Amino acid sequence: MLVSEGKGQEKAATVLPFWQAASVASPPPPPRTWTRGTMDVMRPQSLASLLSDDDACAKQELCDAVAEALHVAGALVVRDPRCDAADSAHFLDVMERYFGRSREAKLVDARPSIHYQVGVTPDHVEVARGRVEADPKWRFMWRIGPRPTHTRYHELNAAPVVPDGMPEWPQVMDVWGHAMLKSVESVARAAAIGFGLDEDAFVERMRWGPHLLAPTGCDLEQHGKLGKVFAGKHCDLNFLTIHGKSRFPGLRIWLRDGTPMDVKVPEGCLLVQAGKQMEWLTGGYVRAGAHEVRVTEETIHVMEEKERRGESLWRVSSTVFGHIASDQVLQPLGKFDTPEALERYPPIHAGEFVQQELEAIRLKVA
């Protein structure tokens, strides 16, 4: 899910939509005061110490590292023993088969009436904020976790779509999606502790959230030209996004200070990025992380190798969007709740925020 890098947001008493009020200048990023180098901040962090109470010091050290990485880079790399490489490989295999279907076969699974929040989103529909050209990628939205019985935002909590002729689909999606969501929840707990908040400050607000396993697919046989952008530079509108390792390189992120970094996720690791909801809850202490995906020389090298082996040339991302529950209110928490932060990040229901962003990226018709 995409969102602008602008920081404006409408207040309750105003009529102007916040994406039209984004001309208010963002404050400059803080000076580099972190204790480790940027590359060290991005070194893989094992979540194992969060799963055990054996070593309180190791747990606190991890939480501090997670909080620092999110503040400095808006992202971090984690290793989670609950995320099995075999489940990831099976998931990618299934998604390559699905995206390899004909256009007509895939379009049966589209649900534009509910803003593509479940089922498939066709290519050339999503438009990153600040861009004119739509992305050539496809996406499939599969809900992860229970949905609330009562909510103001039913279309954000719709029933899932199961493609015809793929009986293994629900199990494959659920196994990998739930594993990655557990990682997101662990990072949320670690971040809360590292920020000096209650350990459950974030995860309690995530309960009943419209979490989505949302893999993208881009046909590199058609779009595999050097420099081709198939996911324009954007930030995500949700709370935390987690990416499994793709079979093709090409992901670039931007750090808080604007420094670009080409990401190479190590085997067995996952990349976590902060979304706009995290930025809201921390009053801008954490900024939503910008990223894009494009064809690089390394992408082309992998394409050539796979073509020689007769393998799929669909680049599949393995992505879960962790959300704050639609009926929760987004506003700065704890020490981040200052008059300055509230002016920039006024209270708004998470569901309303998401709907406004869907309009901005053309997934919802106003």
Side-chain angles (χ1 to χ4, degrees):
M1 292 190 176
L2 319 180
V3 71
S4 168
E5 295 173 72
K7 302 294 183 271
Q9 172 66 37
E10 70 170 345
K11 298 182 182 180
T14 62
V15 176
L16 187 65
F18 71 87
W19 58 84
Q20 294 178 11
S23 59
V24 178
S26 297
R32 294 185 173 221
T33 57
W34 54 90
T35 57
R36 294 188 290 273
T38 298
M39 295 303 293
D40 198 31
V41 168
M42 292 296 289
R43 68 183 172 85
Q45 301 288 342
S46 173
L47 300 181
S49 61
L50 284 176
L51 310 179
S52 170
D53 295 326
D54 294 340
D55 192 338
C57 291
K59 179 178 179 180
Q60 186 62 55
E61 182 178 351
L62 170 64
C63 294
D64 291 342
V66 168
E68 182 183 22
L70 287 171
H71 173 58
V72 171
L76 70 153
V77 176
V78 300
R79 190 183 302 276
D80 191 330
R82 297 167 297 184
C83 292
D84 192 293
D87 292 334
S88 173
H90 192 191
F91 169 80
L92 292 174
D93 289 342
V94 169
M95 293 311 306
E96 286 175 354
R97 281 197 292 119
Y98 176 77
F99 285 128
R101 288 181 163 187
S102 70
R103 183 179 189 85
E104 293 72 21
K106 293 196 290 281
L107 286 177
V108 171
D109 300 323
R111 300 293 185 271
S113 62
I114 51 173
H115 329 313
Y116 299 103
Q117 290 307 285
V118 292
V120 77
T121 304
D123 55 350
H124 303 292
V125 171
E126 285 190 17
V127 181
R129 285 290 203 95
R131 290 178 60 89
V132 176
E133 183 180 359
D135 290 341
K137 69 178 184 292
W138 291 71
R139 187 190 294 280
F140 198 100
M141 299 283 207
W142 178 262
R143 75 179 199 179
I144 297 294
R147 292 302 193 252
T149 304
H150 304 288
T151 177
R152 303 176 181 88
Y153 307 99
H154 295 285
E155 65 271 33
L156 302 180
N157 297 275
V161 174
V162 179
D164 289 337
M166 302 189 78
E168 76 278 29
W169 184 273
Q171 181 178 5
V172 171
M173 302 293 273
D174 284 345
V175 166
W176 186 235
H178 281 285
M180 288 206 294
L181 182 59
K182 288 178 181 178
S183 293
V184 168
E185 292 170 343
S186 292
V187 171
R189 289 184 185 278
I193 294 172
F195 293 147
L197 303 174
D198 183 81
E199 179 175 349
D200 295 329
F202 296 137
V203 292
E204 279 300 314
R205 288 169 171 80
M206 293 176 65
R207 193 182 301 277
W208 305 104
H211 314 302
L212 292 165
L213 175 59
T216 61
C218 188
D219 185 0
L220 295 180
E221 187 172 1
Q222 181 180 1
H223 300 292
K225 182 179 178 181
L226 182 64
K228 176 69 175 180
V229 175
F230 41 89
K233 183 181 178 183
H234 65 278
C235 302
D236 290 340
L237 65 84
N238 52 293
F239 176 66
L240 285 172
T241 300
I242 189 166
H243 305 275
K245 185 177 178 63
S246 174
R247 289 171 172 167
F248 294 88
L251 176 63
R252 170 173 286 187
I253 69 172
W254 278 261
L255 307 183
R256 183 188 181 103
D257 66 357
T259 303
M261 177 184 291
D262 292 326
V263 178
K264 296 180 180 178
V265 180
E267 292 294 336
C269 292
L270 307 119
L271 174 71
V272 181
Q273 275 200 296
K276 191 69 174 180
Q277 293 174 353
M278 166 71 85
E279 181 173 331
W280 224 261
L281 293 174
T282 62
Y285 182 78
V286 174
R287 297 286 179 83
H291 52 283
E292 74 171 11
V293 186
R294 67 168 62 222
V295 177
T296 65
E297 291 182 355
E298 289 183 273
T299 313
I300 292 175
H301 175 71
V302 175
M303 286 170 55
E304 292 170 347
E305 290 292 322
K306 285 186 169 290
E307 194 168 20
R308 279 195 288 270
R309 296 195 296 263
E311 297 176 359
S312 173
L313 293 182
W314 277 87
R315 185 195 189 278
V316 176
S317 75
S318 178
T319 302
V320 163
F321 294 129
H323 275 264
I324 298 300
S326 302
D327 295 277
Q328 287 280 351
V329 175
L330 297 176
Q331 63 185 65
L333 302 178
K335 67 180 183 182
F336 304 120
D337 182 5
T338 66
E340 295 79 11
L342 282 170
E343 184 176 0
R344 294 192 60 78
Y345 302 97
I348 182 173
H349 279 106
E352 181 182 352
F353 176 81
V354 170
Q355 289 180 332
Q356 291 175 344
E357 288 300 316
L358 294 178
E359 290 180 15
I361 62 174
R362 307 184 193 175
L363 292 185
K364 177 182 177 180
V365 178

